[in-house]
Structure formats: structure tokens, C-alpha cells
């Protein structure tokens, strides 16, 4: 078994370090003794294989974390389906292909819980992958992520590598995207309730009945560090809390956290998405990892970050 000190000194390329997941991961690793983290500038185009190959050739990473992706909520997925599938396919394929080409033995690919079938048995086990049809509202992103998982599995089979995929549940936290045109449900709610204070009405999509699982991004970062430091016999692991909440109850929790006192109007003409999506996290739990941040505490911390980060609020207001 490789010692912790050896792992901490490995040359690890963190792709996507400027995104919410990447920033949390970079912080988690550096404060825990990792001294050799490689990153690329935010404007580095991971969609270009020649640039990616050149970077790997020069820097020769010993491990890769693929945290780079084009992400967004239901609205963004519906409006830009081609962008979501092509950008994510290019990013992940270029990074995984470069890792194979330059003999990188270890790679962590970050997928998404949306890879699983719309009607998968709950809680969703890793074995549910490719057993049914996807949720239509985000199938473009899901198909791209499934492609990344399969690239990792194929590389392992053909070249004897150790590439694994983590499937996080719905994420939120500091550094989230609060733009109402492109954000996911939890940060979008925080923004809507904040803007409607003290007693304006807030309109939300759907009926509020779907059940969803949410995990703070710092817990995902801890899971990434955990798998770096432990031998993982499987090539795919769900990462979540193992607990879910209805969208309606989530709205009430956020409303209370924000201090909003107005009415909530549910637009039942808008899609709900999958009725329930809860991950079975027993595979990673059995190895000793578990989330540490409970939902109410995480929402409070995220809201505090949002209102204190005036730059983010200004950018969201002007749509930039």
C-alpha cells in the first residue's frame, strides 16, 4: 500500500480548478498536505486536444482529477443541448486520452447522478447504469458523462490502468452559480428568495413534489481526497448523503434561511424532472467515507457566502 506521504507528493493535475468543485478540491488538498498540484489557466481550452497533449507532455502528471465540465440546470440543458453534449465530450475525452497517451496510471473522473435511468430503483445503485431511459431534461449532459465513465472503464480494461469515476449527487456550496438562467435548483432558489425579500412572491418550477438529494461541495472534495488516499477495488462510486428532501420542503428551508416572508407560487406547467433521485452510497460508506455537512448548515453557509460576495451578485444582476 502506498504511503500517505507519497500520495501527497504526487504530481496531480486538477483540471477545472477554477470551478466550484475544482476550487473546493484544490483547497481540500492543499490544506491537507498536498504540495504538487498542477493547474491550467481559466482560459485554457480543454476542448483542444493539441493543447491538452502539449500540457501533459511538458508537465507529466502522475495523477489526474477531471473536475472540468460545462454545467447548468434544467433551463440551460433545454436551451443549449448541443453545447452541453459536445463541450463535455471534448473536455473529458481530451483529458482521458492524454492521460492514456502519456501513461498516467491514476485518474479520477467526476460524473453526475443524472447518468442513471429516469425510473431507476431507489436508492440508485452503481449497477443501475445503462439499465433504462434517461431523464429527458438533462440527457445531453448525462450522455456525455456516461461517455467519460466508459472511456475510463475501457482504458482500465485495455491498458491495465486505475481510472475511477465518482458520481456525485446534486451539489451546492461556496462559489456556486447564482445566475437564474443557468443555475441549478438550490442556488437558484437562494437567489430568488433573496431578491424577493422581504415579502415579494417567488415563482418556482413544477409542483414541488420531486425528492432530491443535495451534498455540499466540500464533502465531494473530501471524497476525492479519500479515494486518492485509499485503494479502490471498483471503478465507479456514488458520492452523496444518502438522504433526500422534497423540493417543496427545500424551498421552505431556504425561505427560512434567507428570511423571506412572501408567498411561494408553484408553476405546475413547468417540468418536475425525475420524481425521485436518491443515491445508494453504501459502496463508498463501506470503505469509511461519509458526508460531514448537513443540509440546513450547508445552505446557511452558502447563503452567507452569496450575500458577502458582492462581485458574484453584481455579475448575476447584469447577466455577465
Amino acid at each position: 500500500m502506498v504511503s500517505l506521504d507519497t500520495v501527497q507528493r504526487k504530481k496531480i493535475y486538477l483540471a477545472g480548478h477554477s470551478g466550484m468543485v475544482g476550487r473546493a478540491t484544490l483547497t481540500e488538498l492543499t490544506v491537507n498536505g498536498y504540495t504538487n498540484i498542477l493547474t491550467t489557466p481559466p482560459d485554457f481550452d480543454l476542448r483542444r486536444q493539441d493543447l491538452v497533449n502539449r500540457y501533459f507532455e511538458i508537465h507529466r502528471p502522475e495523477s489526474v482529477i477531471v473536475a472540468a465540465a460545462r454545467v447548468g440546470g434544467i433551463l440551460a440543458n433545454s436551451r443549449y443541448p448541443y453545447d452541453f453534449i459536445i463541450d463535455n465530450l471534448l473536455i473529458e475525452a481530451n483529458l482521458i486520452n492524454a492521460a492514456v497517451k502519456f501513461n498516467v496510471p491514476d485518474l479520477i473522473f467526476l460524473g453526475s447522478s443524472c447518468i442513471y435511468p429516469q425510473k431507476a430503483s431507489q436508492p440508485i445503485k452503481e449497477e443501475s447504469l445503462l439499465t433504462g431511459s434517461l431523464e429527458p431534461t438533462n440527457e445531453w449532459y448525462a450522455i456525455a458523462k456516461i461517455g467519460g465513465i466508459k472511456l475510463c472503464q475501457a482504458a482500465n480494461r485495455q491498458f491495465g490502468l486505475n481510472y475511477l469515476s465518482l458520481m456525485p449527487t446534486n451539489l451546492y456550496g461556496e462559489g456556486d452559480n447564482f445566475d437564474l438562467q443557468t443555475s441549478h435548483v438550490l442556488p437558484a432558489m437562494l437567489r430568488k428568495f433573496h431578491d424577493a425579500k422581504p415579502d415579494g412572491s417567488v415563482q418556482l418550477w413544477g409542483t414541488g413534489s420531486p425528492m432530491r438529494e443535495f451534498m455540499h461541495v466540500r464533502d465531494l472534495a473530501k471524497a476525492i481526497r479519500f479515494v486518492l488516499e485509499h485503494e479502490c477495488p471498483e471503478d465507479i462510486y456514488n458520492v452523496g448523503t444518502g438522504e433526500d428532501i422534497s423540493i417543496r420542503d427545500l424551498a421552505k428551508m431556504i425561505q427560512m434561511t434567507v428570511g423571506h416572508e412572501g408567498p411561494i407560487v408553484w408553476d405546475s406547467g413547468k417540468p418536475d424532472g425525475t420524481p425521485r433521485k436518491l443515491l445508494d452510497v453504501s459502496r463508498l460508506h463501506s470503505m469509511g467515507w461519509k458526508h460531514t455537512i448537513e443540509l440546513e448548515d450547508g445552505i446557511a453557509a452558502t447563503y452567507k457566502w452569496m450575500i458577502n460576495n458582492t462581485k458574484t451578485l453584481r455579475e448575476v444582476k447584469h447577466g455577465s
Side-chain angles (χ1 to χ4, degrees), residues 188-304:
M189 282 189 184
L190 277 171
R191 181 70 189 186
K192 286 186 174 184
F193 282 112
H194 175 80
D195 287 351
K197 288 176 65 174
D199 56 4
S201 65
V202 171
Q203 186 175 76
L204 300 176
W205 278 29
T207 64
S209 62
M211 302 291 292
R212 290 292 183 271
E213 177 185 14
F214 298 92
M215 180 176 65
H216 197 283
V217 68
R218 291 202 305 266
D219 276 324
L220 174 59
K222 292 179 185 297
I224 292 169
R225 180 167 68 88
F226 181 89
V227 299
L228 279 171
E229 297 174 359
H230 293 79
E231 294 183 0
C232 301
E234 306 294 340
D235 57 20
I236 180 171
Y237 292 87
N238 288 337
V239 189
T241 65
E243 305 164 2
D244 58 2
I245 185 174
S246 73
I247 296 299
R248 187 174 294 271
D249 287 342
L250 175 69
K252 293 177 181 176
M253 184 182 292
I254 291 175
Q255 183 183 40
M256 184 175 297
T257 298
V258 171
H260 172 265
E261 298 178 349
I264 301 175
V265 180
W266 294 94
D267 184 356
S268 59
K270 294 293 193 299
D272 271 334
T274 305
R276 190 185 188 200
K277 190 167 65 174
L278 176 66
L279 294 182
D280 183 329
V281 292
S282 59
R283 180 176 288 183
L284 199 54
H285 277 189
S286 68
M287 294 176 59
W289 178 87
K290 190 179 187 300
H291 78 280
T292 60
I293 302 172
E294 298 303 330
L295 183 58
E296 191 168 4
D297 296 332
I299 288 173
T302 303
Y303 181 55
K304 181 178 180 180

Side-chain angles (χ1 to χ4, degrees), residues 53-94:
N53 283 352
R54 181 61 176 159
Y55 183 85
F56 274 67
E57 183 178 23
I58 293 171
H59 296 282
R60 298 287 175 169
E62 299 170 272
S63 186
V64 175
I65 301 171
V66 182
R70 183 186 182 113
V71 298
I74 291 177
L75 181 60
N77 273 268
S78 299
R79 286 185 175 177
Y80 310 109
Y82 182 81
D83 292 346
F84 270 86
I85 192 168
I86 191 64
D87 284 353
N88 283 297
L89 283 172
L90 287 171
I91 289 167
E92 66 199 24
N94 289 346

Side-chain angles (χ1 to χ4, degrees), residues 23 38 41 47-48 62 93 111 133 154 158 189 199 284 307:
R23 284 196 295 268
L38 303 173
R47 296 170 299 179
R48 287 184 53 182
E62 299 170 272
S133 301
Q158 187 168 339
M189 282 189 184
D199 56 4
L284 199 54
I307 61 176

Side-chain angles (χ1 to χ4, degrees), residues 54-182:
R54 181 61 176 159
Y55 183 85
F56 274 67
E57 183 178 23
I58 293 171
H59 296 282
R60 298 287 175 169
E62 299 170 272
S63 186
V64 175
I65 301 171
V66 182
R70 183 186 182 113
V71 298
I74 291 177
L75 181 60
N77 273 268
S78 299
R79 286 185 175 177
Y80 310 109
Y82 182 81
D83 292 346
F84 270 86
I85 192 168
I86 191 64
D87 284 353
N88 283 297
L89 283 172
L90 287 171
I91 289 167
E92 66 199 24
N94 289 346
L95 288 166
I96 295 168
N97 189 46
V100 171
K101 179 180 178 67
F102 292 97
N103 302 311
V104 179
D106 304 299
L107 180 144
I108 299 172
F109 173 70
L110 300 181
S112 167
S113 60
C114 71
I115 64 161
Y116 293 117
Q118 181 183 27
K119 298 180 179 179
S121 298
Q122 304 290 322
I124 307 171
K125 294 181 178 292
E126 289 88 348
E127 292 84 358
S128 296
L129 180 63
L130 296 178
T131 60
S133 301
L134 299 168
E135 162 57 43
T137 57
N138 59 12
E139 66 176 335
W140 319 104
Y141 180 73
I143 288 171
K145 287 298 183 179
I146 292 170
I149 296 166
K150 288 301 176 181
L151 277 174
C152 290
Q153 291 176 338
N156 292 344
R157 178 176 297 186
Q158 187 168 339
F159 303 111
L161 299 169
N162 184 35
Y163 293 3
L164 64 86
S165 300
L166 299 181
M167 298 302 111
T169 190
N170 300 296
L171 299 171
Y172 71 97
E174 295 85 356
D176 213 332
N177 171 22
F178 301 96
D179 184 330
L180 296 179
Q181 298 301 311
T182 57

